[in-house]
Amino acid sequence: MHVHPSHFGLISLVVPLYNEAQNVIPLVKAINRALKDYTFELILVNDGSTDNTQQQLKQQLQSNCIAIELDKNYGQSLALAAGIDHAKGDYIVTMDGDLQNVPNDIPIMLNTAKDEHWDIVGGIRVNRKDPFHKTLPSKIANYIIRKSTKLNINDHGCSLKVFTKTTAKKLNLYGGMHRFINVLAHLNGARITQLAVHHNARKLGVSKYGLGRTFKVINDLIVLLTLQNSKKKSLTVFGRWILRKYNLSQNKTLYRIKNISVFEK
């Protein structure tokens, strides 16, 4: 059943950006076109970019737009966390800022989430337009995550996701945990489904990923499983070392905001 856009209330769209100055203008235009019938806020998080991203963000500010500038590069997980922390919408959407995700897929994902009562609707990049050095690590990572967690999700790496507000706010992202959003939410009791989505080849800017990401996934998965084990029983010496190393023994904000820019008439 089609759900009218007016029935969603406020939607928050969170987009982390790192050295994506060339993509800011076409990104904002594409989002505005895709969500023109919805009431939404656009939260653009500059994750310590060293190019002209911040200047481009300020030029693109509009009445429903917030630009958050972090004081340094923290990585995608904490950039997402900063955006989600500031999101006010009943539904929270995340996507990459490189224009490989397609904003036109968001309405059907929102409709599926609301109509079928899912906590997360994630994207599956069925016709992925990436070079081998990106697709191979992704396939390996997806296989490792499925085998380690028994969660049968096809594409853990797709950033295009729709969350209920409650689900997103409970994620507690840190380190490289954006790769395990589905796992974190599943462990919190979330109902998760996936839809096929479009995927573009990167046209502007430079990819930040490669084969080394697979080893990072393994490392972060060990951290995640150690933390989950800590909730069930006493930690081993190794487990306590993990908590200290990743500064995760206390629930506290792990990022700092340098500036928040809003639209001014």
Side-chain angles (χ1 to χ4, degrees), residues 78 86 100 103 241:
L78 288 179
H86 285 79
Q100 292 196 257
W241 175 81

Side-chain angles (χ1 to χ4, degrees), residues 165-210:
K165 180 178 182 178
T166 300
T167 302
K169 296 285 187 178
K170 289 169 63 177
L171 286 174
N172 190 29
L173 295 174
Y174 51 82
M177 291 298 114
H178 64 278
R179 301 180 184 92
F180 307 107
I181 281 177
N182 291 316
V183 179
L184 290 167
H186 174 71
L187 293 169
N188 287 334
R191 297 181 67 248
I192 306 170
T193 191
Q194 288 188 304
L195 294 178
V197 296
H198 298 88
H199 190 252
N200 293 326
R202 178 185 268 274
K203 296 179 180 180
L204 300 169
V206 180
S207 174
K208 287 82 179 174
Y209 303 108

